[in-house]
Amino acid sequence: DAGVIQSPRHEVTEMGQEVTLRCKPISGHDYLFWYRQTMMRGLELLIYFNNNVPIDDSGMPEDRFSAKMPNASFSTLKIQPSEPRDSAVYFCASTYSRQPQHFGDGTRLSIL
Amino acid sequence: DQQVKQNSPSLSVQEGRISILNCDYTNSMFDYFLWYKKYPAEGPTFLISISSIKDKNEDGRFTVFLNKSAKHLSLHIVPSQPGDSAVYFCAASGDFGNEKLTFGTGTRLTIIP
């Protein structure tokens, strides 16, 4: 299997711009997770979906962040407007039936 | 409020010796624990897990120990190899599954040849 695929791998943009991160989960997985990794807070769960439905978005930092999963093979995490403090590595992960989560290689986001 | 804590940011171990990585948790509702390994520029990969009904789980060179009364778990790697150099994350879940994992901040393990 191809694994969890995230794009882009790196994103550099200016403060105030809209940023869209993309994720393709492993085929057959019905759970999808978005995480953010920073030096200060480590790996934090932002939101997760089950069968394309958002289950828990309590980790989303503020209204500037939104996530969608229009179908079983695609999800987006959007930040609008972006701020320098959003700079981090964002990971997507997927799983099924209580198996360990499989992570993508992440998107390194830098907001100038 | 850090519910899963890895108090050692880094650890260096001689090749061939035992590596012991520690993790403490505060939430007594956690009942499933996992260790992930992460290389630079890659996502975390699953290493080993343990449920609260056990106190030990072994997989090859890797053993995880769980002490529920102390709310403490540890990962033992024996013998340590250069390829084990990575960041190790401890994670916990409250529903004997993998939804909503809470991660520790990680320990960087360096194996010295």
Side-chain angles (χ1 to χ4, degrees):
Chain A
D1 208 320
V4 176
I5 300 172
Q6 292 187 245
S7 64
R9 288 299 311 275
H10 302 272
E11 175 86 14
V12 180
T13 192
E14 292 189 347
M15 182 175 65
Q17 297 297 306
E18 178 179 290
V19 173
T20 300
L21 311 182
R22 297 173 175 80
C23 176
K24 176 178 168 56
I26 293 172
S27 177
H29 285 191
D30 56 355
Y31 284 91
L32 184 138
F33 306 82
W34 282 100
Y35 291 89
R36 178 172 68 175
Q37 184 185 17
T38 61
M39 289 294 291
M40 292 295 293
R41 300 176 66 90
L43 262 170
E44 301 174 277
L45 176 65
L46 300 176
I47 185 172
Y48 77 94
F49 297 82
N50 179 224
N51 292 320
N52 312 338
V53 176
I55 302 300
D56 187 338
D57 66 354
S58 59
M60 295 286 261
E62 46 197 278
D63 292 345
R64 297 184 298 106
F65 286 69
S66 62
K68 293 182 180 179
M69 192 164 186
N71 56 62
S73 58
F74 184 67
S75 177
T76 59
L77 178 68
K78 191 169 291 189
I79 308 173
Q80 166 63 18
S82 57
E83 296 182 4
R85 61 192 166 122
D86 302 330
S87 298
V89 181
Y90 291 80
F91 288 101
C92 177
S94 70
T95 190
Y96 71 100
S97 187
R98 294 182 168 180
Q99 297 301 303
Q101 293 178 24
H102 293 255
F103 282 76
D105 285 337
T107 295
R108 182 173 294 276
L109 178 62
S110 297
I111 309 298
L112 306 177
Chain B
D1 175 27
Q2 198 74 22
Q3 297 187 66
V4 178
K5 300 177 185 178
Q6 294 178 255
N7 292 318
S8 298
S10 62
L11 175 69
S12 294
V13 174
Q14 206 78 31
E15 181 179 358
R17 302 285 187 125
I18 182 171
S19 295
I20 300 176
L21 296 95
N22 294 303
C23 178
D24 297 296
Y25 62 96
T26 57
N27 189 338
S28 57
M29 298 301 291
F30 288 147
D31 58 11
Y32 189 66
F33 305 89
L34 307 90
W35 285 94
Y36 279 80
K37 175 180 180 179
K38 185 184 180 304
Y39 292 118
E42 294 183 10
T45 55
F46 169 72
L47 196 55
I48 193 169
S49 63
I50 188 168
S51 73
S52 58
I53 61 174
K54 293 184 173 183
D55 55 17
K56 176 183 173 181
N57 189 28
E58 195 171 349
D59 183 1
R61 298 186 296 113
F62 302 91
T63 303
V64 56
F65 295 91
L66 176 61
N67 182 331
K68 290 185 289 293
S69 60
K71 293 190 177 67
H72 176 84
L73 63 156
S74 60
L75 174 68
H76 292 210
I77 306 173
V78 183
S80 300
Q81 299 175 353
D84 297 329
S85 295
V87 177
Y88 289 78
F89 290 95
C90 169
S93 172
D95 61 356
F96 191 57
N98 282 275
E99 297 83 47
K100 201 158 187 176
L101 290 178
T102 300
F103 281 84
T105 51
T107 296
R108 181 178 302 277
L109 175 65
T110 302
I111 305 302
I112 304 164

